[in-house]
Amino acid sequence: MALQITNNAGIFEINGSLNSQNTNSLKNYFEALMNESGFIMISLNNTIDIDKTAFQTIINLYKKALSKNKAFYIVGHQNQKVVELFKNEKLSFLLNSNAA
């Protein structure tokens, strides 16, 4: 399934597969959004698959947002693949369970 980003009441839902083939699109989309907004919330709950390259891109976006004093939340507790990936990388604390 192709990557699709949907703004659902301020939560950017990422649907489809996140992989090395579409990470540049993901990066460009959210970097542009960072310039316009001080608050970004992404949901990985409907992400079918995510590879290490895409995972690292999301982490880099998180770090960039922090360096610019922007709020950047990652939601994904409903997706077991996402939970396991964050857990394996010892970054479970980045997943926000209080939203979406």
Side-chain angles (χ1 to χ4, degrees):
M1 179 180 191
L3 178 67
Q4 182 181 21
I5 302 171
T6 307
N7 183 348
N8 185 5
I11 300 169
F12 294 89
E13 297 178 353
I14 301 175
N15 302 297
S17 295
L18 272 174
N19 54 51
S20 59
Q21 295 176 349
N22 56 28
T23 53
N24 279 338
S25 297
L26 179 79
K27 179 179 173 270
N28 293 339
Y29 183 91
F30 284 106
E31 282 182 349
L33 189 61
M34 245 182 256
N35 292 329
E36 299 172 12
S37 176
F39 177 87
I40 297 171
M41 181 177 293
I42 65 169
S43 172
L44 301 175
N45 285 327
N46 296 322
T47 302
I48 294 170
D49 195 25
I50 181 169
D51 70 9
K52 293 274 187 172
T53 303
F55 176 79
Q56 194 58 51
T57 298
I58 290 171
I59 300 306
N60 289 340
L61 286 167
Y62 174 82
K63 290 177 181 178
K64 187 169 191 168
L66 286 182
S67 74
K68 292 183 167 203
N69 294 319
K70 309 279 183 166
F72 192 94
Y73 295 98
I74 304 166
V75 178
H77 278 285
Q78 295 175 10
N79 185 327
Q80 198 56 39
K81 287 182 183 180
V82 169
V83 170
E84 285 300 315
L85 181 57
F86 275 78
K87 183 179 172 183
N88 290 341
E89 296 297 323
K90 296 179 177 32
L91 293 171
S92 296
F93 65 92
L94 292 179
L95 285 178
N96 189 318
S97 61
N98 298 329

